[in-house]
Amino acid sequence: ETGVTQTPRHLVMGMTNKKSLKCEQHLGHNAMYWYKQSAKKPLELMFVYSLEERVENNSVPSRFSPECPNSSHLFLHLHTLQPEDSALYLCASSRGGLGRTEAFFGQGTRLTVV
Amino acid sequence: AQTVTQSQPEMSVQEAETVTLSCTYDTSESNYYLFWYKQPPSRQMILVIRQEAYKQQNATENRFSVNFQKAAKSFSLKISDSQLGDTAMYFCAFMNEFGNEKLTFGTGTRLTIIP
């Protein structure tokens, strides 16, 4: 248990559905991340939030919409996804700023778009 | 932009042997952090070892050690006395000391420990 919890663990959704992924950490970290992990591809950084402000957005399609309401929670809102969006979505957190440390990861949400 | 390269997609080794996973990176920064993460079939990414670039001494965590060559921008992971539980994907990762919180990963090496 790393202290980062993701829900749900598995999600199957149709292309017209709207769903949200949730990530929660109680480690006192102030940076949170969304990564996409597809088969046979490297981890793709999607979004980074530092002190609840988005500091990185790696040209992610607008059908993915992140939200960071506070330093402990991070959401990824999904709508009108495509089958190629099926992947493992990993959330992570770290103590950002000076003296930053390694990132701690959740167990991921396995997303299947049908 | 920083890049991290892992040139070995897959490796296998007999149990109890030693294996070295390679990683190179590219950056213009002088201070940064390097990490090795392990992702077993359970999907949980777990930190294996961490190195701060300003420290010349190679990091060591029990059976895991690194060979950090700053000038060559190389950061290899050595696993001694390998165990079946070491079977996993291993990712090398880079983070700047300053600036945004971007953590960049390599493509990973799938390591299989053979009984």
Side-chain angles (χ1 to χ4, degrees), chain A residues 18-35:
Chain A
K18 288 184 179 181
K19 297 287 184 182
S20 295
L21 309 185
K22 180 182 177 182
C23 178
E24 186 173 355
Q25 59 92 5
H26 297 289
L27 300 170
H29 291 167
N30 54 22
M32 296 188 77
Y33 310 75
W34 279 118
Y35 281 90

Side-chain angles (χ1 to χ4, degrees), chain B residues 5-55:
Chain B
T5 302
Q6 292 178 251
S7 59
Q8 304 152 312
E10 295 187 21
M11 295 186 73
S12 60
V13 66
Q14 291 290 138
E15 189 177 7
E17 291 186 350
T18 295
V19 61
T20 299
L21 310 183
S22 64
C23 172
T24 58
Y25 57 93
D26 186 24
T27 183
S28 58
E29 302 294 329
S30 58
N31 292 321
Y32 45 87
Y33 303 95
L34 294 164
F35 310 93
W36 277 99
Y37 280 88
K38 168 185 177 181
Q39 187 180 37
S42 67
R43 305 180 338 204
Q44 184 86 61
M45 291 275 270
I46 304 164
L47 179 72
V48 175
I49 201 164
R50 174 179 190 257
Q51 176 82 41
E52 293 158 2
Y54 62 86
K55 290 186 178 179

Side-chain angles (χ1 to χ4, degrees), chain A residues 13-67:
Chain A
M13 60 185 288
M15 289 189 285
T16 58
N17 290 159
K18 288 184 179 181
K19 297 287 184 182
S20 295
L21 309 185
K22 180 182 177 182
C23 178
E24 186 173 355
Q25 59 92 5
H26 297 289
L27 300 170
H29 291 167
N30 54 22
M32 296 188 77
Y33 310 75
W34 279 118
Y35 281 90
K36 176 183 179 183
Q37 187 176 24
S38 305
K40 301 180 181 179
K41 291 178 71 175
L43 267 77
E44 300 172 54
L45 178 64
M46 300 177 71
F47 302 104
V48 181
Y49 276 82
S50 178
L51 298 173
E52 301 155 42
E53 288 192 21
R54 192 188 308 179
V55 298
E56 185 81 21
N57 178 352
N58 270 4
S59 303
V60 179
S62 59
R63 57 185 184 270
F64 295 91
S65 175
E67 179 189 2

Side-chain angles (χ1 to χ4, degrees), chain A residues 2 9-10 31 33 35 37 42-43 45 48 50 56 88 90 96-98 100-103 105-108 110, chain B residues 33 35 37 39 42-47 50 52 89 91 95-107:
Chain A
T2 63
R9 292 289 307 277
H10 301 271
Y33 310 75
Y35 281 90
Q37 187 176 24
L43 267 77
L45 178 64
V48 181
S50 178
E56 185 81 21
L88 180 67
L90 293 168
L98 294 179
R100 61 187 63 186
T101 63
E102 64 273 15
F105 284 81
Q107 289 189 288
R110 174 71 67 189
Chain B
Y33 303 95
F35 310 93
Y37 280 88
Q39 187 180 37
S42 67
R43 305 180 338 204
Q44 184 86 61
M45 291 275 270
I46 304 164
L47 179 72
R50 174 179 190 257
E52 293 158 2
M89 282 288 291
F91 294 94
M95 179 186 278
N96 270 330
E97 183 180 29
F98 300 107
N100 66 28
E101 309 294 340
K102 186 172 180 177
L103 180 63
T104 303
F105 283 84
T107 52

